[in-house]
Amino acid sequence: MDLPRLDDLPTWLLSRASGRAHGLLQDAFREAGSRGYAYRLLVALAQVGPASQADLGRSAELDRSDVVTTLNALAADGFVERRPDPSDGRRNIVALTDAGRRELDRLQDVVAAVQEQVLHPLDPAERRTLLALLRKLR
Amino acid sequence: MDLPRLDDLPTWLLSRASGRAHGLLQDAFREAGSRGYAYRLLVALAQVGPASQADLGRSAELDRSDVVTTLNALAADGFVERRPDPSDGRRNIVALTDAGRRELDRLQDVVAAVQEQVLHPLDPAERRTLLALLRKLR
DNA sequence: CCTATTTCAGTGTTACTGAGATCG
DNA sequence: CCGATCTCAGTATCACTGAAATAG
């Protein structure tokens, strides 16, 4: 008779690893005075350049509602500028400021440190293998 | 200049894979008329045998508060029996019933189907590698 | 008219916290 | 007196929903 064990379940192992990573990330962002949502929006802005909030939400996989709240905070800190789109009155055009670019650089270091912390038990070849397999899961 | 991309982050890939797996699991449990917490408690009971709620919570990694709520539902369905511990008045002894064992068997099939669904893109060797690497992440 | 965007308020879920009652 | 257990109520968080206002 085979006793069921959660530790044998791929979904359980995924959930544990992800939960641990998420906790470390959240702590690191809090310590750095930021949030995961803010980081994701800054990354999206750096990737696609100035964009509407709807497009940013799609890029960062953030809900339209959370985009609003997060941009409010980023704008208050001077990390983004929000101005109406002259060619489409429904939209804002959101752009990174220089301070925003510096903030993103700073958060990149924070995030990189957490990646190292999470992957620490694996050697470089194992890390590549893990990433490739995770990517294969779609 | 290297544009940051979320897809390059191990923590992001972990989170995506885990989120997808979690969603599939949740749907499958809902369709089967159960919940993840209930499954985890049934597994813990099958592993350790009759136990106090506190011990079950530690085994299943469930909060004491969620153990109470989940056991209420499992007891109402006749899947577990809760009776006072004669040797320690603070505790309940919780035990699987026959119906509970059948329920666990049923849920094992549900869970196995989701594992297959999640791992579908990987061949058997890749699956073993992924599990080994995830386990190494502690 | 219908769809898209931005915004705000509110909901539901999941995990947790606090406190009371009981007992060792 | 301290610590553990069980229970309930309430909170914090995150992701999302609904609806209003504006515009294409």
Side-chain angles (χ1 to χ4, degrees), chain B residues 11-88:
Chain B
T11 51
W12 179 257
L13 291 170
L14 270 176
S15 164
R16 299 292 302 159
S18 168
R20 174 174 143 79
H22 184 252
L24 291 172
L25 257 185
Q26 205 160 265
D27 291 349
F29 280 132
R30 191 166 29 74
E31 175 141 13
S34 188
R35 314 286 232 117
Y37 282 7
Y39 173 71
R40 279 157 69 177
L41 280 185
L42 291 174
V43 168
L45 274 168
Q47 267 176 45
V48 306
S52 73
Q53 298 186 188
D55 284 340
L56 283 178
R58 285 183 280 267
S59 288
E61 300 188 43
L62 277 191
D63 188 82
R64 69 209 145 99
S65 194
D66 301 314
V67 171
V68 171
T69 314
T70 307
L71 285 181
N72 287 346
L74 286 171
D77 287 336
F79 297 147
V80 301
E81 266 181 6
R82 212 169 0 183
R83 40 176 243 276
D85 184 339
S87 77
D88 185 338

